[in-house]
Amino acid sequence: MNGKIFIIEDEPSIIQLVQHNLEKEGFIVSSSLNGNEGLKELKKFEPNLLLLDWMLPDLSGIDICKNIRKDNSFKDLPIIMLTAKGEEEDKIKGLDSGVDDYLTKPFSFNELMARIKAVLRRTNPTSVSDKLKFDDLNLDRIEKRVFRDKKEIKLGPTEFRLLEFFLSNPKRVYSRDQILENVWPNNINVESRTIDVHIRRLRKSVNIKDKKELIRTVRSSGYSLI
Ligand code: CA
């Protein structure tokens, strides 16, 4: 899985635990401890899903939901609300305000994961699918194997992540900054030259004699999977 998840939650211990476990599952995660800052940050981060606490020091979860739904670019963002016990009535209001699902604290990580997968499967199938396919290219996220037709392609770990990223959004052109942010999430010291080197390696591995080129360079913009 390589979806992006944003968390707005004012309890640092919950953020820490959830973030750590989601990253182990392969998600790219970012978070905020308050509503106003969270709203700004999440719009920059462009997540595939938002985990949103019901009660925050500055804004309520509902205020945040309403704000997000008003914004055209985020009106379809899947939201899972995290509520405390005894907020049953509020839960229903929460669902009315455009929340996709909710979870009562304390929850187990397995429970949370099941909800996240269910919501993503509905809203963004490629972010949870184990197998990605484009043209004659097939990538298996679980087995970590790549095939072009029947020929297996061996990739290094960075090239694998790069290809996985491109396959999640074929035909979309990504700038080096976007590639950096999505493929090297915790490493801001990567130079754009390094990205070019890995793209070159990926291209060399994926391009097989007599088959069409799959990685496209778009001058002064970036790269895309044709
Ligand atoms: Ca709270």
Side-chain angles (χ1 to χ4, degrees):
M1 250 172 276
N2 70 347
K4 288 163 82 175
I5 296 184
F6 197 84
I7 311 168
I8 303 180
E9 162 68 67
D10 63 330
E11 283 169 64
S13 59
I14 295 187
I15 291 204
Q16 226 173 23
L17 186 80
V18 170
Q19 180 152 4
H20 173 74
N21 281 300
L22 285 175
E23 283 172 351
K24 273 207 310 206
E25 292 280 332
F27 287 102
I28 296 165
V29 184
S30 186
S31 60
S32 174
L33 289 162
N34 77 72
N36 281 309
E37 183 203 280
L39 269 171
K40 270 188 233 143
E41 291 298 313
L42 96 92
K43 288 178 184 183
K44 274 192 261 168
F45 184 67
E46 299 187 350
N48 300 108
L49 184 139
L50 170 65
L51 295 178
L52 178 59
D53 184 22
W54 176 261
M55 295 285 276
L56 292 158
D58 54 347
L59 295 173
S60 79
I62 292 297
D63 294 334
I64 295 177
C65 254
K66 284 184 182 151
N67 182 303
I68 290 171
R69 294 301 183 224
K70 265 193 287 184
D71 186 326
N72 253 340
S73 321
F74 297 94
K75 65 177 175 17
D76 298 321
L77 175 69
I79 300 174
I80 298 181
M81 188 79 92
L82 307 174
T83 67
K85 257 191 186 152
E87 292 173 343
E88 302 296 326
E89 231 177 281
D90 292 344
K91 277 179 197 171
I92 295 153
K93 267 195 272 167
L95 289 170
D96 277 350
S97 65
V99 174
D100 295 85
D101 205 351
Y102 63 85
L103 202 55
T104 307
K105 295 179 203 172
F107 50 81
S108 73
F109 182 70
N110 285 345
E111 235 179 307
L112 175 65
M113 205 51 235
R115 300 295 179 89
I116 289 176
K117 280 187 185 169
V119 169
L120 284 179
R121 209 169 279 132
R122 221 165 50 220
T123 54
N124 186 8
T126 55
S127 68
V128 280
S129 166
D130 295 338
K131 294 191 169 90
L132 296 174
K133 184 178 164 53
F134 178 77
D135 211 76
D136 56 359
L137 195 63
N138 284 283
L139 179 145
D140 190 317
R141 283 175 165 154
I142 303 294
E143 294 181 3
K144 301 267 180 228
R145 295 173 84 182
V146 176
F147 288 88
R148 202 158 172 193
D149 253 349
K150 291 190 176 70
K151 189 182 180 334
E152 177 154 17
I153 294 167
K154 296 280 182 197
L155 297 175
T158 305
E159 287 71 34
F160 185 90
R161 285 203 309 276
L162 263 174
L163 184 61
E164 190 181 8
F165 174 59
F166 282 126
L167 275 166
S168 304
N169 274 299
K171 294 187 178 171
R172 179 167 163 186
V173 180
Y174 286 103
S175 68
R176 288 177 181 80
D177 282 346
Q178 287 169 319
I179 294 172
L180 177 64
E181 205 177 290
N182 285 281
V183 180
W184 282 267
N186 300 316
N187 196 341
I188 45 163
N189 292 323
V190 177
E191 288 176 44
S192 50
R193 265 187 310 168
T194 311
I195 298 171
D196 294 338
V197 168
H198 286 287
I199 296 267
R200 215 175 301 138
R201 277 191 208 149
L202 173 64
R203 180 176 262 153
K204 219 173 142 191
S205 309
V206 166
N207 287 339
I208 296 178
K209 221 178 118 209
D210 302 327
K211 298 232 178 224
K212 71 172 169 205
E213 291 235 0
L214 289 178
I215 310 279
R216 188 162 63 102
T217 305
V218 183
R219 267 188 82 179
S220 71
S221 296
Y223 299 101
S224 75
L225 188 66
I226 57 166

